[in-house]
Each structure stands twice: as structure tokens, then as C-alpha cells.
Amino acid sequence: MAEKGSVALKDVSKIYPNGVVGLENINLNIQRGEFVMIVGLSGSGKSTLLRAINRLHDVTAGQILIDGQDITQASGDKLHKIRRSAAMIFQNYNLVKTASVYRNVMSGRVGYYPAWRAALGLFTKEDQALVATNLARVNLLDKYYVKARDLSGGQQQRVGIARALMQEPSVILADEPVSGLDPKTTKLVMNDLKRLNEEDGMTIILNVHSIGLALKYASRIVGLKAGRIIYDKPIEEVDKRDFKEIYREAGDSAAEEAE
Ligand SMILES: Nc1ncnc2c1ncn2[C@@H]1O[C@H](COP(=O)(O)OP(=O)(O)O)[C@@H](O)[C@H]1O
Ligand SMILES: [Mg+2]
């Protein structure tokens, strides 16, 4: 059986119902503990790729294995369990703004409960303690009772990370998690993710627009263009001039960043 924390894509393609090609023949093998940053122009397929891994949408062809388990074919309880092992962090945080930080973080745990118990808020003492533990990991324990809407963007994203941790995932998928944040806050959020990667060996797959961030945090950089992988190198082999090709079109600002 494949090691926990591994993600494999085999000949994955995704064509949207309107005929747009989102992904074309993607092959990727990601091992436990990698910090993979996916770079590419807007519209290159980064979000399509992450959503496929978590099966937020179906692919048209190919297989995706998480911890060696095929998520593309799974259904029912099996799908539920595979999905639980890959937690998602979103660009817009996806918090319930009117709910407390505690509630938002606990919502990452509902996959471990029958629906009726979750609906009644009947969470175990252990899981309540886990909320506190995970909030402490992102340095937000003091915000336990605060409503999500009263937090800054960076704090909201770190609540998103704590919520993801409640799933006890082997993989974290993050879709441009820092693109709405200022540089100082970006650093806090990226460092939280880096710590999970280094201390827990958690696999992280993160979409990013900024080459600078990819160069700073990635252990491996994958470049997408028009739904295809056009670049895939471990950080030791990366030369920042490589990215001119990926970003050349449209006078993209990331191209200048890579100069
Ligand atoms: N729901 C959708 N229906 C049709 N086309 C889509 C949909 N979502 C994304 N696309 C198209 O798929 C391509 C890849 O988009 P996306 O994965 O969002 O790129 P990125 O995240 O790199 O900006 C783009 O051409 C986009 O317009
Ligand atoms: Mg996107």
C-alpha cells in the first residue's frame, strides 16, 4: 500500500461541460512530506487540479490516488474517508462569518460524526480539546469565542488552517491561500503551513501566483500552462529564470518577479 500522504495522478484530464479543457493528461507523483507549489497564469488550471484531487468535481479521464486509494472511483463511505484525508484551504477562507472561531474550527471535524450528532453540536470532549490544540498551533487560542467576521484576513485564513487540521489529514490542499493578504500576514500563514510540513511531515500542495513565494517555500515546483504540466522540478534544480516561459504572456507581473 502507498504511504500515507502520497498523491498520484495518472493520465488525468478534465473537460468542462461547456467544452473548455481544464486539465490535459496530467501525471504527478507526490510523496509524503513534499511541499509542492503549483504556479501558472490565471486560467492555467491550478484550481481545476486541486478541486479534482479532493473530488470537489469529477475528472473526465484518469485516476487520482490519495494514500494509494482511488478517489475518482470511490463512493459512499469509502469516498467520505478518502476525502477526509485531504483537507482544503480556500482563497476566500470559506468561514461562517457569523459563527465563532470555535464553531468554524469544529466544522472541520463533522466528517467524523453522524449527521444528526453534528447538527446537534454533540462533539466529544476530546474533539473540543483538539479545537484548542489546533487553534494554539496557529497562535489563535485567544480568539476561541470571537466571531469569524471580527478577525483580520490573515487570522481568518489561520482559522481555515486550524479547521483543516481537525480532519487529521495526510494532505493539505491550498488554493491561493495568501493571495488576498499583505506581505507580513502572508509570511505568518506560510510559516504556519511550513511548520505543519516540517514538524508533522504533512504533504502540502499549494497553488500560488507569486514565483517569489514558490521559491521561498516549495520543496518542488510544478508549472501549469493551458491545463498541462510544463515544468516539474525539485527546488534544488530550480532556476528562477525558468519561469519567464510560464509567465511570459500577457505581461504578467509574476514574469517581472522572476527576472
Ligand atoms: N466551472 C467551469 N466551467 C467551465 N470552465 C471553467 C470552469 N472553471 C474553470 N474553467 C476554465 O478552466 C480553465 C482553468 O481554470 P482554473 O482551474 O480556474 O485556472 P487557475 O486556477 O489556474 O486560474 C480556464 O480556462 C477556466 O476558464
Ligand atoms: Mg484558481
Side-chain angles (χ1 to χ4, degrees):
M1 211 194 116
E3 200 183 11
K4 252 178 104 63
S6 67
V7 177
L9 288 89
K10 298 182 182 168
D11 301 320
V12 170
S13 294
K14 161 89 183 166
I15 300 168
Y16 283 104
N18 64 358
V20 171
V21 177
L23 297 172
E24 202 175 337
N25 217 12
I26 300 284
N27 283 286
L28 260 181
N29 267 303
I30 296 170
Q31 305 303 321
R32 174 182 155 84
E34 286 194 65
F35 198 139
V36 180
M37 304 214 8
I38 313 239
V39 302
L41 286 170
S42 171
S44 59
K46 302 184 297 296
S47 297
T48 304
L49 178 67
L50 275 204
R51 287 202 292 261
I53 293 173
N54 208 23
R55 204 160 153 200
L56 288 176
H57 59 193
D58 285 319
V59 294
T60 316
Q63 278 185 305
I64 300 175
L65 295 96
I66 301 173
D67 301 341
Q69 312 248 35
D70 188 349
I71 192 169
T72 49
Q73 297 302 322
S75 61
D77 199 39
K78 181 153 191 231
L79 172 61
H80 182 73
K81 287 207 169 106
I82 302 173
R83 203 179 247 155
R84 215 162 59 185
S85 59
M88 193 80 147
I89 294 171
F90 302 88
Q91 179 176 357
N92 60 1
Y93 324 129
N94 271 19
L95 301 181
V96 179
K97 302 269 189 216
T98 53
S100 68
V101 164
Y102 161 77
R103 269 287 178 181
N104 273 286
V105 174
M106 187 62 97
S107 75
R109 197 69 187 168
V110 299
Y112 285 87
Y113 287 85
W116 68 269
R117 272 197 69 168
L120 292 174
L122 296 174
F123 300 105
T124 63
K125 283 263 179 313
E126 288 79 9
D127 285 343
Q128 290 175 33
L130 195 56
V131 169
T133 302
N134 286 329
L135 274 175
R137 296 197 72 179
V138 294
N139 255 309
L140 287 178
L141 190 50
D142 59 325
K143 304 294 184 195
Y144 195 93
Y145 296 107
V146 174
K147 284 199 167 57
R149 65 171 180 224
D150 295 327
L151 300 178
S152 69
Q155 289 169 336
Q156 290 190 43
Q157 191 55 292
R158 282 147 62 214
V159 170
I161 295 173
R163 177 182 57 190
L165 292 176
M166 292 300 287
Q167 284 177 233
E168 297 188 279
S170 44
V171 180
I172 287 189
L173 308 170
D175 195 359
E176 303 210 28
V178 293
S179 58
L181 304 175
D182 63 67
K184 191 166 156 246
T185 316
T186 291
K187 198 169 166 190
L188 281 175
V189 171
M190 290 303 300
N191 284 340
D192 279 338
L193 291 170
K194 188 178 170 181
R195 231 179 316 115
L196 297 175
N197 175 251
E198 288 180 348
E199 291 173 10
D200 299 21
M202 209 175 279
T203 307
I204 297 184
I205 308 176
L206 187 148
N207 289 345
V208 73
H209 194 76
S210 157
I211 292 298
L213 276 185
L215 291 170
K216 183 155 182 223
Y217 290 96
S219 68
R220 171 178 174 185
I221 298 182
V222 170
L224 285 186
K225 189 171 194 173
R228 290 171 155 267
I229 293 181
I230 59 159
Y231 190 88
D232 185 358
K233 282 189 182 172
I235 196 72
E236 301 78 30
E237 292 172 22
V238 168
D239 181 325
K240 69 182 197 174
R241 283 168 300 192
D242 297 344
F243 300 107
K244 275 187 158 178
E245 173 64 20
I246 299 175
Y247 283 105
R248 193 159 48 202
E249 278 151 45
D252 195 273
S253 62
E256 279 140 46
E257 210 185 318
E259 308 250 343

